[in-house]
Amino acid sequence: MRNAALTLGLIGGVLAMIVGFFGYGYTEFIAKNGAIGDFGQQVDHPAMIKFASFLAPILAIAGAAMARSQNIPAGILMLAAAVGI
């Protein structure tokens, strides 16, 4: 079961990186180029989106790395990453 947590945590961390790159890139693109009509508008709190895009993958991968040795803190880190995503 701990090996499964390790594997799924790493997969989740990689997917969180993809989502984070998109979220960070979107906020930066809109900040530099302005709104694109009704298609693309800036989010309410771009700094929070950038922070979550950076922190969630780190928490998921760190939780996956800890999954075999310390399962409770690893689970908490992976749950925090899921909330961040």
Side-chain angles (χ1 to χ4, degrees):
M1 195 67 176
R2 290 182 184 183
N3 289 335
L6 170 73
T7 304
L8 292 175
L10 286 176
I11 292 171
V14 169
L15 291 176
M17 285 175 51
I18 293 170
V19 170
F21 289 151
F22 177 77
Y24 196 94
Y26 178 81
T27 56
E28 279 297 311
F29 179 79
I30 297 297
K32 294 207 186 292
N33 297 323
I36 306 169
D38 291 336
F39 177 68
Q41 296 179 355
Q42 188 62 276
V43 296
D44 290 335
H45 303 288
M48 184 181 73
I49 298 294
K50 290 178 185 178
F51 182 71
S53 297
F54 179 73
L55 188 63
I58 291 173
L59 290 176
I61 293 172
M66 293 171 52
R68 296 184 83 194
S69 61
Q70 299 175 356
N71 53 357
I72 300 296
I76 292 170
L77 287 177
M78 286 192 274
L79 283 173
V83 169
I85 294 170

